[in-house]
Amino acid sequence: MAEGGQSCEVVPAAPAAGESEGCEAAAARTPGSAPELRGGGGGKERPAEDSRWPAPILSLAKKASENLAAGYGSALKSAALVGLVPKPLSNDSPANPTKFHMMEERSNLMNMMKLSVKVLIQSALSLGRTLDSDFPPLQQFFVVMEHCLKHGLKAKKSFIGQNKSFFGPLEMVEKLCPEASDLATSVRNLPELKTPIGRGRAWLYLAVMQKKLADYLKVLLDHKNLLSEFYEPDALMMEEEGAVIIGLLVGLNVIDANLCLKGEDLDTQVAVIDFSLYLKDTQNSDNSKEDGGITAVLDQKHYVEELNRHLSCTVGDLQTKIECLEKTNSKLQEELAAATDRIRALQEEQQELKQENELIRERSEKHVEVTKQDTKVELETYKQSRQGLDEMYSDVWKQLKEEKRIRTELEKELELQIGMKTEMEIAMKLLEKDTHEKQDTLVALRQQLEEVKAINLQMFNKSQNAEGSLQQKSEAISSFEGKTDQMMSSVKQMEGRLQHAEKARQVAEEKNVKLKQELGGKIVTLKQQLIQLDNKCLTLERELKSEKEQRQTLQHQLHQEKDTTALLKTELQQVEGLKKELRKLQEEKQQLEKVCEEQEQALQEMGLHLSQSKLKMEDIKEVNKALKGHTWLKDDEATHCKQCEKEFSISRRKHHCRNCGDIFCNTCSSNELALPSYPKPVRVCDTCHTLLLQRCSSSS
C-alpha cells in the first residue's frame, strides 16, 4: 500500500440529479413495501406503486430482506449467548415513532451491509486476484459503508449552513490509535480533496487497503462517549448493529485491494446503492428464496462455530497463562521468604562487622601514630645525606664537562692534521703523474731520434748507390742536416727539463718525509694524551658507580618505608571498604523491600494484562489469516514492478519480497527486516516494511 497513492473509485450505478446526502437515494430506488432505507437527515418514503420496479422483483426483494432480518436476529441471539455482543433491549412497542423509524433504517442498512460484504468476498475469491477501482461490488461496498457511517449523524452548524460529514468521527481514530496517524496525514496531504466527504471516502479506501478498517472502527466503538458528540443515541454506530458490522468487516481481510486515488473526483460523487447486483432472475425466485434462507442459517451456524472455536482457544491459552502466573507467584513467595532470611543473616553479620571494625580502627590508629613518628625521623636523616650526595655529584659533573671539552678540542686538532696529510698525499700523486707524462714524452722523442738515424742511414746508402745524384741532392742533405741539428737542440732542451723535474720531485719527496716525521710525533703525543684522559674517565666512572650504589641503598630503604606506609594505607582502605559494605548491605535491604513491593504490584498488574491478552490473541489470529493468502510469484510471471510499475531490464533487476512473495525493483524493496521464518534480516518491499513496523509498534 502506498500512502495517498492507492485508493478506490466509487462509480454510482444510476445517479439521480438533485438527490441530497444521506440515504435518500437508496430509499428512492427501493419499493415502499420492502424494508426501506432512510438517511439520517429524514428522507421521504416512496409509495409501493413505483412504476420503475416490476412486481416479481419487488416481491423477491421483500422476501430476501425478511430472510436477512430473521438471520440477523438469530445471529444477534447467538452472539449474545457467546458474549461477543450485548443482548438487545426489548422494544416491542416503541412509544416514539421516530425510534421505530430509526430501528427500521438500522435493520435495512444492516441487511445491505451483509449482502455487500458477502457478494464482495465471493466475487473477489472467484476472481483470485487483487481488486481494482473499477470492480462494481467493491464500489457498492463503499457506498453502503458510507450510508452506515452517515446514519444518525448530528448536523454541525456553521456560517454557511448545516454540515453533515462522517470524516469527523474518523479523525478521532488518529488520537485513539497511533497506527492510524500515517493514514490521516496522507489523506490530509492529498491536494485533490477539498471537502470532508472526499477525505472520509479516501480514508475508507486506504483503511481497506491496509486491511485495518475493522480494527479502526472497533477502536471507535470502544469509546462511545466520544462518538456521542457526532451521532444521535439511536444511530447505527451507537447500537449493537455497529459491533455486528465490525464482525462482518473482519472478513474483508481476505481481500487484496490495489486502488488509486490520483485523478479521482471523490468530492462530487453521489453515493447511490445499485440493487441489481443483489437481485437474481424472476424465473428462479422460488429456488433462490429457499436457498437464501438455508445459506443464511448455515452462514450464521458456521460463524457461531468459528466464534466458539476461537473462544475455546483463547480460554485454553488464558488457563495456561493463569497456571504459569500461579507458578511464578509461588516462586516469588519462596524467593521472598529466602530474601527475608538473608536479610536477617545480613543484619547479624552487620553487627559482628561493626564490632570487628571498631577493634581494627583502634589498632590501626595506634599503629599509624607509631609509624608516623618513625617516618619523620628517617626522612630527616635521608634529607641530610641527600644534600651531601647532591654536592658531590655536582662537583664530579663539572669535572666531567671540562674533560669532555678538552677531548673535543684535541679531536678537532687531529682532524685538521689528518686533512693536511691527505692534501699532501694528493699533491704527491699529482707530481708522480707529471713525471710519468714527461717520461712518456722522452720515450717518444727517442723513438723519433732513432727514426731520424734510420733515415740518415738510408740516405747514406742511397748516396753511395747513386753518386751521380749526390751533387743534385747535396742541398737536400744540407737542409736535412739543419733539421737534424734543430731536432738535437730540442732533444737537449727536453733532457734539461727532465733534470729540472727530477730535482723538483726529489725536493717534494724530502718535504713529504719531513711532514710524515712531524705528523708521526704529534700523533704519538696525542695518543698519550688520549690514554691519560681515558684513565681519568675510568676513575670518575668508578667513583660514580660507588655513589650510585650508595644512592640505590638509600632508595631501597625509602621503598621499604613506603611499603610500610602503603600497608598501613591498605589497612585503612580495608576499614573504609568494610564501612562501604555495611552501607551496601543496608541499600540491598532497602532494594529487597522495594522488590517485594514491586512484585506485589506486578501480581496485580498481571490480572490486567490477562484481559488485554485476549484482544491481542484475536489480532494475531487475524494477521495470520491475512498472511496465509500470500503466494511466491515466479520470475517469469512478472515484467513490471508491482509498486512503481516500471518495466524490468538489465539495469532494473527483479527482487522478491520475502514477506508477501511479490516481485519489485531495487528502489521499492531496499528495506531489510528480520522475519520469523528467516534467521537473518531479509529484503522486504516498502508496503510490507510499513505494515511490519506498525505491527511491531502495536505489539510493543
Side-chain angles (χ1 to χ4, degrees), residues 117-137:
V117 170
K118 185 178 177 182
V119 170
L120 179 59
I121 291 169
Q122 286 177 355
S123 57
L125 292 173
S126 64
L127 279 173
R129 61 178 177 80
T130 54
L131 303 181
D132 299 324
S133 58
D134 297 326
F135 195 62

Side-chain angles (χ1 to χ4, degrees), residues 285-299:
S285 61
D286 297 331
N287 295 327
S288 65
K289 284 188 281 181
E290 294 175 2
D291 293 338
I294 291 162
T295 52
V297 171
L298 287 171
D299 288 340

Side-chain angles (χ1 to χ4, degrees), residues 303-314:
Y303 181 66
V304 171
E305 285 176 356
E306 282 291 320
L307 284 173
N308 284 326
R309 188 170 64 79
H310 287 307
L311 287 169
S312 62
C313 291
T314 53

Side-chain angles (χ1 to χ4, degrees), residues 162-175:
Q162 291 186 350
N163 183 19
K164 280 188 179 182
S165 172
F166 61 94
F167 187 58
L170 295 178
E171 280 185 313
M172 297 294 293
V173 179
E174 183 181 2
K175 297 177 182 176

Side-chain angles (χ1 to χ4, degrees), residues 229-420:
E229 296 176 6
F230 300 94
Y231 288 102
E232 297 291 342
D234 296 326
L236 187 139
M237 295 298 289
M238 299 294 289
E239 296 293 333
E240 302 92 19
E241 286 86 347
V244 178
I245 285 171
I246 288 164
L248 293 170
L249 292 175
V250 171
L252 296 178
N253 293 336
V254 183
I255 297 167
D256 293 323
N258 186 13
L259 312 171
C260 182
L261 275 172
K262 290 180 180 178
E264 296 291 336
D265 191 7
L266 298 176
D267 294 328
T268 59
Q269 284 180 5
V270 181
V272 178
I273 300 171
D274 186 8
F275 291 96
S276 61
L277 293 169
Y278 312 115
L279 298 174
K280 298 181 182 177
D281 283 333
T282 57
Q283 295 176 358
N284 300 322
S285 61
D286 297 331
N287 295 327
S288 65
K289 284 188 281 181
E290 294 175 2
D291 293 338
I294 291 162
T295 52
V297 171
L298 287 171
D299 288 340
Q300 294 301 323
K301 184 185 175 185
H302 291 312
Y303 181 66
V304 171
E305 285 176 356
E306 282 291 320
L307 284 173
N308 284 326
R309 188 170 64 79
H310 287 307
L311 287 169
S312 62
C313 291
T314 53
V315 167
D317 294 336
L318 290 170
Q319 284 176 355
T320 53
K321 285 182 180 178
I322 288 162
E323 289 174 0
C324 293
L325 287 170
E326 286 175 354
K327 288 177 183 177
T328 52
N329 192 7
S330 60
K331 286 179 183 177
L332 288 169
Q333 286 176 355
E334 291 173 0
E335 288 176 359
L336 243 177
T340 50
D341 295 335
R342 190 181 173 190
I343 287 162
R344 288 172 187 169
L346 288 168
Q347 286 176 353
E348 292 174 358
E349 288 179 1
Q350 184 180 0
Q351 291 177 357
E352 291 176 359
L353 288 167
K354 280 181 180 177
Q355 293 174 0
E356 290 177 0
N357 190 8
E358 289 175 357
L359 292 169
I360 290 163
R361 191 185 293 165
E362 290 175 358
R363 289 175 187 173
S364 61
E365 286 176 355
K366 290 177 183 177
H367 192 64
V368 165
E369 288 176 358
V370 173
T371 51
K372 279 181 180 177
Q373 290 175 359
D374 295 335
T375 50
K376 282 180 182 177
V377 174
E378 288 174 355
L379 277 169
E380 288 175 357
T381 54
Y382 174 71
K383 285 177 181 177
Q384 290 174 0
S385 61
R386 189 170 181 178
Q387 286 176 358
L389 286 169
D390 290 334
E391 290 174 357
M392 290 283 289
Y393 184 74
S394 62
D395 294 334
V396 171
W397 188 251
K398 287 176 183 177
Q399 289 177 1
L400 255 175
K401 282 182 179 178
E402 288 176 357
E403 287 172 358
K404 283 179 180 178
R405 184 176 57 76
I406 292 161
R407 189 173 179 177
T408 52
E409 289 176 355
L410 290 169
E411 285 175 354
K412 286 178 182 178
E413 287 179 359
L414 260 174
E415 287 175 356
L416 289 169
Q417 288 174 0
I418 289 161
M420 291 287 290

Side-chain angles (χ1 to χ4, degrees), residues 8 20 68 71 84 214 227 229 341 344 412 599 608 632 694:
C8 172
S20 62
L68 286 169
L84 181 68
L227 277 177
E229 296 176 6
D341 295 335
R344 288 172 187 169
K412 286 178 182 178
Q599 287 171 355
L608 296 171
W632 188 265
Q694 287 174 1

